[in-house]
Amino acid sequence: MSVKRSEKQKLLIFVNLMITGIATSMLATAMTTALPPVVEYFGISTVTGQWMTSGYSLAMGIVMPLTAFLVKKIPTKTLYISGIICFIVGELACIFAPGFGIMMAGRVLQAIGNGILTSMGQVIILTIYPANKTGTMMGWYGLAATAAPIIAPTIAGILVDTVGWKYIFIYTMVIMILSLIMSIINFSDILTLQEITFDVISFVLSIFAFGGITLGIGNIGGYGLMSLLSGFPLIIGILGTVLFVFRQLKLDKAFLDIRILKKKEYSLAVIASMLLYLVMMGSSVLMPLYVQSVLGYSAVTSALVTLPGSIATALINPLAGQIYDKIGIKKLFVIGSICLLISNVGMYFITLATPLIAAAILNIIRNISIGCLMMPLLTWGTSQVSVGKVADASTLLTSLRTVAGSIGSAVFVAIMSAVAVSSQSAYGNAAPMRGVNIAFISMSIITLIMLGIALFGVKERRNF
């Protein structure tokens, strides 16, 4: 049953979601910069230390499907506050960790809290605002979710060099405590609860499905596809996915309702989002490799090349939301896909002699395109299902595009490396550059599929 809320109440809840989103998103990327001092502090190897980020992603992949059940079973305020407390406890564990094991437990708790809070934030916004405002509000929410991870490594670097890596957790914990206080004061039970029982078998299968695929793909870059550490989790993940799907189709009240994929528009939004994340994550990994490994520039130069594009992604989010509210998804989807295609094709023609600014400009165009499409696709897709299915729709789309992003990171780097090796005799010192060119033309093919969906799959229709 829908509860009418004043604009002030909605704004206070939205601000709360923004504050929480900033803190949780920051810790998703901040620890990449803090890896060397953490490795030194605990006396561990870099491979072990990398679990701070890969373990975080794995825990996120596991908890995401569970969130769709939790939001339908636990009152909104209780669940949201629980997610914040879980995150804070995780930060405390990292601050006072006597060993890396406790540190990892803290990171897992943060990932669980982040998974719950992120999924809830999207569902809450889509619930409390009318259809003609959801694009704008999701755009602003996307600003918090994208700006924070962009800025986080820089802030983390400053903190590491001045006061130490533990202050990364201390400062974000202050933000989360503020969010906790605001939640206690402002939040209410927004989402409608349903009479459903917890299906243990579905949950276990979801762990094997999403966790296995996330872990397997994450290990491809370090160990290769044929390695036991990559192949075995992938096989388990694929098998778990098949069994999970079959079980959801048999249950009267599914743990995660995948039947919503029967809705054509929603399925197109899911496919498009997955393809977008393939390109987004692939390019985000390849650009630093191009600047540092291929051209031989420093990490600072690499950051300067990619930072303008990343900032552009964050800043375009609110504008993209407003445009979506005014013109709907089709025109925005077509324009965004064309610009994304131009940026990827442009990288095919980059050579070792091309000025670095050309790649930086193409990266800005690419990131503006991504910013124009990321949140609007989610908003459009979830708007195609009934109110009672929004939690399932948001969770499923977010989970699948996250998995797709992991695939993109692994696959396009593998393409770049394979081409660089195979073309060594023909291209010599330019072989790595050839690898980058082919990887980006492969992204162009993915983008062409997106453009086809936009042109022929999406109907010209206003979203209200």
Side-chain angles (χ1 to χ4, degrees), residues 228-445:
L228 184 65
L229 292 173
S230 304
F232 183 69
L234 273 175
I235 292 171
I236 294 297
I238 293 169
L239 180 60
T241 300
V242 172
L243 294 175
F244 179 79
V245 169
F246 274 117
R247 183 159 183 85
Q248 302 319 295
L249 293 175
K250 287 184 178 180
L251 292 173
D252 291 331
K253 292 187 177 179
F255 180 78
L256 179 61
D257 193 355
I258 61 173
R259 293 184 182 89
I260 53 178
L261 288 169
K262 292 180 180 179
K263 182 73 176 177
K264 177 189 171 184
E265 290 83 358
Y266 174 72
S267 293
L268 289 175
V270 171
I271 294 169
S273 295
M274 292 177 70
L275 295 175
L276 179 65
Y277 263 61
L278 275 169
V279 174
M280 181 180 76
M281 294 306 296
S283 62
S284 69
V285 174
L286 281 182
M287 284 301 294
L289 288 175
Y290 157 68
V291 177
Q292 295 178 62
S293 301
V294 177
L295 298 183
Y297 287 103
S298 67
V300 174
T301 303
S302 176
L304 291 174
V305 170
T306 57
L307 185 61
S310 300
I311 293 174
T313 303
L315 296 180
I316 200 66
N317 266 292
L319 180 60
Q322 293 177 31
I323 295 171
Y324 167 76
D325 282 335
K326 289 181 180 178
I327 68 173
I329 192 65
K330 187 176 180 70
K331 291 178 181 176
L332 188 60
F333 195 178
V334 170
I335 294 170
S337 297
I338 290 173
C339 291
L340 188 60
L341 181 62
I342 290 170
S343 67
N344 290 330
V345 171
M347 286 298 296
Y348 176 74
F349 296 100
I350 294 287
T351 68
L352 292 175
T354 304
L356 200 54
I357 192 171
I361 292 171
L362 289 172
N363 191 55
I364 291 173
I365 296 172
R366 182 181 307 106
N367 282 288
I368 289 175
S369 304
I370 291 167
C372 283
L373 296 176
M374 185 162 51
M375 296 310 286
L377 281 172
L378 173 63
T379 306
W380 174 65
T382 52
S383 71
Q384 306 302 315
V385 302
S386 62
V387 175
K389 299 297 181 183
V390 168
D392 292 276
S394 176
T395 299
L396 185 59
L397 189 150
T398 304
S399 298
L400 291 176
R401 75 181 186 185
T402 301
V403 171
S406 299
I407 294 172
S409 300
V411 167
F412 292 116
V413 170
I415 291 173
M416 183 195 76
S417 301
V419 172
V421 171
S422 63
S423 60
Q424 185 67 48
S425 58
Y427 287 85
N429 292 335
M433 187 70 248
R434 179 65 176 172
V436 171
N437 296 149
I438 298 302
F440 273 99
I441 206 66
S442 301
M443 290 185 204
S444 301
I445 295 171

Side-chain angles (χ1 to χ4, degrees), residues 79-114:
L79 182 58
Y80 196 80
I81 289 175
S82 298
I84 294 175
I85 292 174
C86 181
F87 198 92
I88 292 174
V89 171
E91 291 184 300
L92 287 170
C94 290
I95 293 169
F96 297 105
F100 186 70
I102 301 298
M103 173 85 171
M104 270 308 306
R107 287 295 284 165
V108 169
L109 286 173
Q110 291 163 34
I112 292 171
N114 191 4

